[in-house]
Amino acid sequence: MALSFSTTHLHAHRRVAFRALSRTQNARISCSLAPNQVQAPAPVQTGDPKNKPECYGVFCLTYDLKAEEETKSWKKLINIAVSGAAGMISNHLLFKLASGEVFGSDQPIALKLLGSERSFQALEGVAMELEDSLFPLLREVIINLCCQGKALNAVASRNVKVIVVGNPCNTNALICLKNAPNIPAKNFHALTRLDEKRAKCQLALKAGVFYDKVSNVTIWGNHSTTQVPDFLNARIDGLPVKDVIKDIKWLEQEFTEKVQTRGDAIKSLVTPTPEGDWFSSGVYTSGNPYGIAEDIVFSMPCRSKGDGDYELVKDIKFDDYLLKRITKSEAELLAEKRCVGHLIGQGIAFCDLPEDTMLPGEM
């Protein structure tokens, strides 16, 4: 699954839908308006019948929103495209997006649900569930089928932010960004924030503190059994982890294995990072300050001002153990990159992966 979002203006007109979608490949539902937010409908001017869009009943009617105090204070509409939108992870995410939990209670959104042709009926069902929920901030739902990287390159804002979830997410993110050369590579992310939260939870349990006392945790590298949870730079209640947890064997073995083998990222980019802390995200390595190989997607420590952008954290400590693990994860990602050379414009692909890189239970 890949998720992307970009900013546009809140349109003056919206469509309101109350019945099932027709089976088309470019269906649109615009919904989630309370009764007091609409005026009497006016017919759409269709013009040339040949150019008339496929629609049914109220899908062919346009409503003008009343200028209510609530909507006056809202931000500009943002477009959010979610691929694999019929899947379980996306289904959970979509309702968080529509409710305002991710971007805030004053941020209207338009959802673009992307999927394969075989998932189209499921996408229609998801769209109708969203419609029935009557989220005030949800202004449009559109269903489309597309090739993600090339579609982003063709129509997305140059400021779009893309988060890739489907594994192997680092290499999938690399494929996506290579197929969207007009979008800055820095705008693509591979999800590792969940692994960071797992690491924080394990450290908190071991130290006997609540997890909000754990900070400065980094997940380095790939989302696989070679990823590196960094306890050298992490802190518990402001103290270095090693000053709190003396069991080095646990840190190097059991802690690392638990984070690797147990299966918000967006909020980290739209919310300012707390002073002195950072978050983990798989990002493009070009120009990184750590000496990690260029032209791959690698999880590294980031900070954000909440504007959708980020910077890499420079004041990071390394020891021999951490460097050894990072090098192993780097080698795995370089091998994965060679496997997909034909998809990223680098000639004939060949695979020399030493072992299966997927996590237990993944296909």
Side-chain angles (χ1 to χ4, degrees), residues 28 79-83 85 110-114 140-143:
R28 176 187 294 262
N79 291 299
I80 304 170
V82 181
S83 66
L111 285 176
K112 322 293 183 182
L113 309 184
L114 309 181
E140 284 187 357
V141 177
I142 296 174
I143 298 175

Side-chain angles (χ1 to χ4, degrees), residues 12-325:
H13 301 285
R14 290 287 175 264
R15 292 178 182 168
V16 183
F18 297 97
R19 56 176 295 175
L21 287 169
S22 60
R23 186 170 175 78
T24 66
Q25 291 193 356
N26 191 23
R28 176 187 294 262
I29 308 174
S30 300
C31 55
S32 303
L33 300 180
N36 64 354
Q37 289 180 289
V38 299
Q39 294 178 345
V44 172
Q45 300 299 319
T46 57
D48 186 352
K50 294 180 180 179
N51 298 325
K52 182 179 179 180
E54 294 184 16
C55 56
Y56 294 90
V58 292
F59 285 103
C60 297
L61 299 176
T62 298
Y63 295 83
D64 291 325
L65 292 178
K66 287 184 176 179
E68 307 232 355
E69 290 303 314
E70 181 183 28
T71 58
K72 281 182 180 178
S73 64
W74 281 358
K75 299 177 181 177
K76 293 178 181 178
L77 182 81
I78 58 173
N79 291 299
I80 304 170
V82 181
S83 66
M88 291 175 58
I89 296 176
S90 296
N91 195 270
H92 182 69
L93 171 64
L94 289 169
F95 289 86
K96 287 181 175 290
L97 292 168
S99 69
E101 183 175 339
V102 177
F103 290 102
S105 60
D106 59 350
Q107 179 61 75
I109 67 170
L111 285 176
K112 322 293 183 182
L113 309 184
L114 309 181
S116 63
E117 188 165 355
R118 66 181 181 180
S119 69
F120 198 81
Q121 284 187 323
L123 290 173
E124 288 182 326
V126 172
M128 296 307 294
E129 287 182 14
L130 287 165
E131 181 186 33
D132 291 343
S133 297
L134 294 177
F135 293 112
L137 293 168
L138 182 59
R139 294 295 168 162
E140 284 187 357
V141 177
I142 296 174
I143 298 175
N144 268 316
L145 316 175
C146 70
C147 298
Q148 295 158 27
K150 292 180 180 178
L152 286 168
N153 197 60
V155 301
S157 162
R158 303 302 90 168
N159 194 40
V160 66
K161 304 299 183 291
V162 182
I163 298 177
V164 179
V165 177
N167 285 324
C169 62
N170 295 63
T171 300
N172 283 340
L174 181 65
I175 294 170
C176 193
L177 73 87
K178 289 292 186 179
N179 281 276
N182 294 336
I183 296 173
K186 188 180 182 182
N187 293 10
F188 292 80
H189 297 256
L191 182 70
T192 53
R193 187 64 191 270
L194 178 58
D195 305 288
E196 177 192 316
K197 288 187 174 182
R198 289 175 182 152
K200 287 183 175 180
C201 180
Q202 293 302 314
L203 291 172
L205 288 170
K206 185 68 173 179
V209 301
F210 200 60
Y211 57 79
D212 64 353
K213 299 295 184 183
V214 183
S215 63
N216 302 92
V217 173
T218 303
I219 302 296
W220 295 92
N222 198 6
H223 179 74
S224 74
T225 53
T226 66
Q227 71 178 192
V228 187
D230 178 2
F231 54 82
L232 177 65
N233 292 283
R235 306 183 79 82
I236 298 175
D237 208 9
L239 299 172
V241 164
K242 286 186 175 181
D243 290 354
V244 180
I245 300 175
K246 306 293 186 180
D247 189 345
I248 303 300
K249 184 178 180 181
W250 180 87
L251 287 169
E252 292 185 351
Q253 296 181 16
E254 186 175 346
F255 165 65
T256 299
E257 290 172 2
K258 282 185 176 181
V259 174
Q260 289 175 341
T261 56
R262 293 180 60 194
D264 267 17
I266 308 168
K267 291 192 76 169
S268 298
L269 293 172
V270 298
T271 305
T273 306
E275 184 70 27
D277 203 356
W278 57 72
F279 63 92
S280 303
S281 188
V283 296
Y284 197 51
T285 53
S286 180
N288 78 87
Y290 316 118
I292 295 167
E294 301 278 304
D295 201 34
I296 58 176
V297 173
F298 200 89
S299 183
M300 298 180 285
C302 305
R303 289 192 179 111
S304 176
K305 297 177 181 178
D307 57 359
D309 202 358
Y310 68 92
E311 62 179 11
L312 295 176
V313 180
K314 295 182 174 61
D315 50 336
I316 297 293
K317 298 177 182 178
F318 295 92
D319 60 12
D320 290 342
Y321 172 81
L322 181 57
L323 287 171
K324 182 179 179 181
R325 300 299 300 272

